[in-house]
Amino acid sequence: MKKPTLTGRNFPTAEQDAATNAIKPLGRYEGPESSYRLAFADPQFLLREEMRPVRMQLELLKPEMIQNEQGIESTIVIFGSARIVPPDVAQRMLADATSANDETAIAIAQRHLGMSRYYEEARRFGKLITEKSRTLETPIYVVTGGGPGIMEAGNRGAFDAKGKSIGLNIVLQHEQAPNPYITPELCFEFHYFALRKMHFLMRSVALACFPGGFGTLDEMFEALTLIQTGKSRRRPVLLFGREFWTKLINFDLLVETGMISALDLQLFRFVETAEEAWAALEAEYGFELREHDKAIPAADL
């Protein structure tokens, strides 16, 4: 018989008890109405309305603990539309529409082709971040919303560079499946938008905002608001595509009407290429990410 050690466990682990509980012959207590389940292994119990605070805590803790274990301290967030397709896909759409002589489909395909350059730029930026950051004291990892479009492009760029990247997916009726380029152990799924947004910003040293719709605008303006109000540290916010953003948002009108200060226009800058974006980051940080640039512990948020 094996001798006990001084540091041996005094009680079974939760995993052991869950496994034991799962194989017990329960008889009349195995039905759905039965309460004879371990609380932490009972999905019906965990999904009750009263358990929302526990579920929110779990969504905060799981990505935090796993990223700590993986040594993830600094990230760059890549936001953008899920609807922007890769150039080769856009080319095929245009070829098919042209073959079918479908004017409506041709117009849609041409629009996709015009926007597909942002997919390519996001992919190049994801690759550049991953390659360049290998020389830094604190490596930087790409993090996206985990879905298709610009999110896929960012993760794909990191994948091209044979690096890790993070995907913070969320359960939606559409576009909820993770793209195939996220590092599996860093592919998360959220129920709560608020917790997902928190994880976007907790480790980020910069945000790259590509053209997008409501979701992209929501994430961009929330980050800008947190920086503007001093609730979050200042960091570069890079808007890819000056023409798109200035046509979409009249920033000057916000200043002219007193809705924001002229100084607030310094909270972000426009860039066009991956190289220009990286140069902006080098200028900001001098790219020696020191101790004070490390992630903010969850307890401090």
Side-chain angles (χ1 to χ4, degrees):
M1 193 171 174
K2 190 176 179 182
K3 290 184 178 181
T5 63
L6 293 175
T7 56
R9 289 188 64 91
N10 288 327
F11 303 100
T13 65
E15 186 177 10
Q16 288 169 334
D17 270 0
T20 301
N21 185 262
I23 60 174
K24 278 183 179 177
L26 298 177
R28 66 182 296 210
Y29 301 112
E30 61 186 342
E33 74 285 352
S34 174
S35 295
Y36 188 74
R37 289 179 184 83
L38 289 164
F40 57 80
D42 185 347
Q44 228 175 346
F45 173 68
L46 289 174
L47 294 175
R48 289 174 61 154
E49 287 293 314
E50 299 90 338
M51 296 300 289
R52 180 179 291 122
V54 175
R55 293 196 300 273
M56 294 179 78
Q57 185 178 21
L58 291 173
E59 287 207 346
L60 174 64
L61 283 173
K62 182 181 177 181
E64 173 71 6
M65 291 169 67
I66 290 174
Q67 287 181 87
N68 282 341
E69 291 166 359
Q70 291 287 322
I72 310 295
E73 296 179 353
S74 297
T75 62
I76 291 178
V77 187
I78 297 181
F79 293 134
S81 175
R83 304 182 185 191
I84 293 177
V85 301
D88 59 330
V89 173
Q91 290 282 7
R92 284 200 303 273
M93 291 172 66
L94 183 58
D96 291 344
T98 303
S99 296
N101 197 27
D102 185 332
E103 291 186 8
T104 301
I106 289 172
I108 292 171
Q110 287 174 335
R111 184 183 68 206
H112 278 298
L113 187 59
M115 295 301 289
S116 69
R117 65 186 178 91
Y118 290 110
Y119 181 102
E120 197 58 34
E121 212 58 53
R123 181 179 177 181
R124 291 178 63 246
F125 190 44
K127 183 178 181 181
L128 190 61
I129 292 166
T130 306
E131 291 175 339
K132 293 279 191 181
S133 73
R134 288 190 177 121
T135 65
L136 302 179
E137 181 183 337
T138 303
I140 305 173
Y141 298 87
V142 169
V143 57
T144 79
I150 292 297
M151 297 174 280
E152 175 186 289
N155 292 122
R156 188 175 181 179
F159 184 85
D160 291 340
K162 297 180 172 55
K164 293 181 179 180
S165 71
I166 305 154
L168 305 183
N169 298 268
I170 190 156
V171 179
L172 299 173
Q173 291 182 347
H174 307 287
E175 302 164 351
Q176 76 274 28
N179 69 66
Y181 301 104
I182 306 164
T183 303
E185 59 267 33
L186 295 171
C187 185
F188 303 100
E189 186 167 36
F190 289 82
H191 172 68
Y192 298 104
F193 264 105
L195 272 299
R196 179 180 183 240
K197 288 179 178 179
M198 198 166 179
H199 277 291
F200 274 132
L201 296 180
M202 280 168 62
R203 287 171 166 75
S204 73
V205 299
L207 296 94
C209 304
F210 286 79
F214 291 158
T216 302
L217 293 172
D218 173 47
E219 290 155 349
M220 182 185 82
F221 278 117
E222 180 154 347
L224 287 173
T225 301
L226 289 169
I227 295 170
Q228 179 200 48
T229 56
K231 293 294 288 183
S232 173
R233 86 173 202 189
R234 185 160 182 156
R235 71 203 78 185
V237 178
L238 309 173
L239 308 189
F240 275 76
R242 176 188 289 270
E243 182 182 359
F244 173 86
W245 289 109
T246 53
K247 191 172 182 180
L248 177 67
I249 305 165
N250 191 336
F251 294 105
D252 292 333
L253 178 64
L254 291 173
V255 175
E256 290 166 10
T257 54
M259 299 299 102
I260 63 172
S261 161
L263 290 176
D264 290 333
L265 297 181
Q266 297 176 18
L267 296 178
F268 60 88
R269 63 175 294 171
F270 299 108
V271 295
E272 301 299 329
T273 66
E275 290 77 16
E276 186 182 356
W278 185 259
L281 298 177
E282 284 185 322
E284 178 76 15
Y285 290 108
F287 265 135
E288 300 169 39
L289 291 184
R290 297 163 293 280
E291 291 298 309
H292 68 269
D293 288 317
K294 290 185 177 179
I296 304 167
D300 292 345
L301 291 168

